[in-house]
């Protein structure tokens, strides 16, 4: 009998500016019935593009943190609870300590603690991103971050099911799972374009295409990752628009990031902020 469900997803892997963020959720069976922001349990991209999307995402992330036992009242406290370690940071365009909280909601939900519920996030800023991809490719970096979160939410000693939004086009994850689970037997159930599934001990892990549309745990992990990235991008844009008059904000993706970086490059040089701490190498 399955005892727990889990999900992992990322936000910002294809961006050139701002952080890459991974989110992870582990929950007991039936947790959705206790979750106060049910409309947020879908793909974060769809929520973000809807009216008051950021407010819904913030409410969902705070709800998840409350279910997991967070009792703080600041953004820094929330990010620390998620294991994001937001301070200290350099350059200061990524320092979130002076942002108000809540950022987007007028009133935040406060559900009671739910035993067995966990929520985590990992942030990779451009300097760390560039340091890793100078030795490995972007896909390998994503898998490294994925493994860090798997250690927190995946337990092969308990019957459970973890679903990960598929990492690029790869279909075979046996060696990745074998090496990172103490050389424990990894039994493939199926491997294909849509989903690759494995049993490790008592638990199943799926790498599934479009997982956030099919699994509430992955959808919430997606929302966590997207919300944390948006907090950093809010600070990033506020910082640089205060330094460069008339500068339009950016979402940090390739269609607009070169324009934004070119417009801040002179100010960044005067402030002694190096290119590698702002712009990803790939």
């Amino acid at each position: 009998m399955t005892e727990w469900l889990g999900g992992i997803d990322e936000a910002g892997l294809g961006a050139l500016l701002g952080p890459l963020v991974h989110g992870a959720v582990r929950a007991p069976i039936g947790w959705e019935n206790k979750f106060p922001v049910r409309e947020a349990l879908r793909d974060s991209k769809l929520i973000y593009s809807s009216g008051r999307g950021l407010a819904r995402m913030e409410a969902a992330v705070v709800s998840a943190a409350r279910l997991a036992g967070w009792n703080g009242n600041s953004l820094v406290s929330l990010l620390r609870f998620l294991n994001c370690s937001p301070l200290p940071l350099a350059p200061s365009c990524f320092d979130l300590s002076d942002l108000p909280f809540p950022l987007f909601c007028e009133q935040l939900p406060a559900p009671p603690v739910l035993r067995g519920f966990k929520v985590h996030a990992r942030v990779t800023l451009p300097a760390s991103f560039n340091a890793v991809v100078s030795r490995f490719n972007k896909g390998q970096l994503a898998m490294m971050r994925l493994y860090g979160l798997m250690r927190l939410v995946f337990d092969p000693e308990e019957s459970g099911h973890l679903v990960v939004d598929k990492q690029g086009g790869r279909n075979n994850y046996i060696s990745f799972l074998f090496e990172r689970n103490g050389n424990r037997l990894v039994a493939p159930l199926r491997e294909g374009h849509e989903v690759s599934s494995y049993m490790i001990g008592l638990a199943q892990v799926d790498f599934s295409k479009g997982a956030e549309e099919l699994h509430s745990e992955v959808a919430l992990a997606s929302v966590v990752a997207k919300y944390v990235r948006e907090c950093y991008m809010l600070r990033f844009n506020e910082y640089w628009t205060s330094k460069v008059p008339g500068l339009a904000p950016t979402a940090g993706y390739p269609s607009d990031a070169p324009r934004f970086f070119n417009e801040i490059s002179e100010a960044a040089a005067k402030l002694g902020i190096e290119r590698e701490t702002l712009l990803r190498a790939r």
Side-chain angles (χ1 to χ4, degrees), residues 29 35 136 162 195 198 224 248 265 274:
I29 302 298
F35 196 76
F136 306 96
L162 173 67
V195 61
Y198 307 87
V224 170
S265 58
E274 298 179 354

Side-chain angles (χ1 to χ4, degrees), residues 124-282:
T124 306
L125 291 173
S128 297
F129 185 100
N130 289 333
V132 175
V133 298
S134 67
R135 300 178 56 200
F136 306 96
N137 63 42
K138 190 161 65 171
Q140 289 172 308
L141 166 63
M143 294 302 289
M144 291 176 191
R145 296 299 183 260
L146 166 62
Y147 169 62
L149 284 175
M150 280 190 67
R151 293 179 61 187
L152 298 175
V153 298
F154 183 76
D155 185 356
E157 301 296 335
E158 298 179 2
S159 177
H161 188 191
L162 173 67
V163 181
V164 182
D165 196 50
K166 205 162 192 182
Q167 306 293 295
R170 68 185 294 175
N171 296 328
N172 186 307
Y173 297 84
I174 290 179
S175 59
F176 168 78
L177 294 171
F178 181 72
E179 294 168 1
R180 289 160 179 81
N181 283 276
N183 294 336
R184 184 189 292 267
L185 176 66
V186 178
L189 302 177
R190 58 174 168 161
E191 293 181 322
H193 178 68
E194 295 297 323
V195 61
S196 297
S197 302
Y198 307 87
M199 288 298 299
I200 308 174
L202 299 175
Q204 178 175 332
V205 55
D206 293 353
F207 296 85
S208 177
K209 183 179 179 181
E212 71 278 7
E213 300 173 8
L214 303 172
H215 301 274
S216 296
E217 299 77 30
V218 183
L220 183 55
S222 173
V223 167
V224 170
K226 181 66 174 174
Y227 171 73
V228 172
R229 175 172 162 81
E230 287 303 311
C231 289
Y232 277 93
M233 292 308 296
L234 176 65
R235 170 60 178 156
F236 185 80
N237 279 305
E238 285 184 350
Y239 180 89
W240 289 111
T241 54
S242 73
K243 304 295 183 185
V244 181
L247 177 67
T250 185
Y253 287 87
S255 61
D256 184 58
R259 182 275 308 173
F260 189 91
F261 183 76
N262 286 338
E263 293 184 23
I264 68 170
S265 58
E266 183 178 347
K270 290 180 180 178
L271 293 166
I273 300 175
E274 298 179 354
R275 174 191 178 96
E276 292 74 17
T277 66
L278 299 175
L279 185 68
R280 297 187 200 172
R282 59 181 86 166

Side-chain angles (χ1 to χ4, degrees), residues 5-120:
L5 300 170
I8 298 177
D9 201 1
E10 57 79 20
L13 183 60
L16 293 176
L17 294 171
L20 164 64
V21 185
H22 284 77
V25 169
R26 173 172 162 150
I29 302 298
W31 68 275
E32 300 101 320
N33 297 327
K34 301 181 183 298
F35 196 76
V37 196
R38 295 292 294 275
E39 66 271 22
L41 300 182
R42 57 187 182 132
D43 185 359
S44 64
K45 300 179 187 67
L46 297 177
I47 301 169
Y48 180 69
S49 61
S50 65
R52 291 187 53 77
L54 287 172
R56 288 192 181 94
M57 286 199 294
E58 184 168 64
V61 174
V62 169
S63 294
R66 297 293 189 206
L67 288 173
W70 178 62
N71 59 5
N73 58 10
S74 71
L75 179 60
V76 168
S77 170
L78 174 61
L79 296 181
R80 284 178 173 159
F81 182 82
L82 297 175
N83 295 309
C84 291
S85 302
L87 293 173
L89 287 176
S92 54
C93 57
F94 293 122
D95 182 356
L96 308 185
S97 60
D98 59 351
L99 285 180
F101 187 77
L103 287 169
F104 311 108
C105 281
E106 295 179 2
Q107 185 173 1
L108 293 171
V113 174
L114 177 60
R115 183 177 180 182
F117 193 95
K118 297 180 180 180
V119 58
H120 302 284

